[in-house]
Amino acid sequence: AAPRARVDSTIDWSTVGCSSMSTPTYVDRTCAPYVLADGDDDDVFVRCGDDGGGGGASQSVCASARVRLALARRRVEDAPDDPRAWYVFGAEAFAVGDFASCEFALTQACVRDAYGEGEPRLWLRLSHCALALNGDVRERVDSTLDALDGLDKTALEGVDMMPLRAMALDAALVEWEWARRQNREPRPRAKAILDGDGG
C-alpha cells in the first residue's frame, strides 16, 4: 500500500539533520518524496546515501533516525494520551541524542502508568538521560536493576540472557560514570555487577 502522504518534490533534505547528506534514495524507488499528513505513522522508511558504500551508512542512520523522530512526534501530536506514542517518541529522541525530549516523553504520566516499574529499557534510557543532563542517576539505576530482577524468570526459559546482562552492565556503568564525575565510589550493587559478581 502506498503511504498516505502528499507528494512534494521541493523537500529540503538538509533540514533532516545531516549537513553532509547526499541525495536521498528510497527503499521503494518508485515512491516519491512525501510530507507528513495527519494519520501518518512510521511504517515508511527512508534511507539516504549512495549505493556504493561511500559513507552512506552513517548518513542513513542519522537521516532515518531524524525522520523516525519527526514521525514519532507527529504520532504524539495525533494521540497525546497514547502511552505507546510517548514511549516511541522518547526512544527515538534517545536514539538521536535529544536527552531532554527523551526525559520529557518517558516521564509522562500515561507512560509511567502503562509501563511502570517493570520496563527495564525505559529506566535504562532515563538513567542515561539523567547522566547526560547532569542529574542524579541512582534512583533510575536502581529502578533499571529492580525491573530486570523482577522479570518473570519462568517466561524467560530458553531466552538468551545476554541482552539482560548487558542492560544490567550498562546501568552499572552509568552509575560508575556518575560516581566518577562526583568523586564518589559506585554503590555495592553496581560494583558487584561491574566486578562480575551480580546481575
Side-chain angles (χ1 to χ4, degrees), residues 29-131:
R29 292 172 193 256
T30 63
C31 180
Y34 66 94
V35 293
L36 296 176
D38 285 341
D40 282 342
D41 58 22
D42 55 0
D43 294 332
V44 179
F45 297 99
V46 178
R47 79 181 165 86
C48 300
D50 58 14
D51 293 330
S58 62
Q59 293 172 356
S60 299
V61 171
C62 181
S64 62
R66 293 286 179 186
V67 169
R68 286 193 312 271
L69 179 61
L71 292 170
R73 181 176 291 127
R74 173 55 70 99
R75 184 177 283 173
V76 165
E77 291 168 356
D78 288 346
D81 295 326
D82 180 5
R84 180 72 184 153
W86 282 104
Y87 186 90
V88 169
F89 176 66
E92 295 299 344
F94 183 85
V96 298
D98 184 353
F99 298 113
S101 293
C102 177
E103 168 104 11
F104 180 78
L106 296 184
T107 55
Q108 291 298 304
C110 64
V111 174
R112 299 289 285 276
D113 290 344
Y115 294 96
E117 305 301 315
E119 176 50 66
R121 293 169 298 181
L122 177 139
W123 291 108
L124 185 58
R125 285 186 179 107
L126 285 174
S127 299
H128 279 279
C129 288
L131 181 65

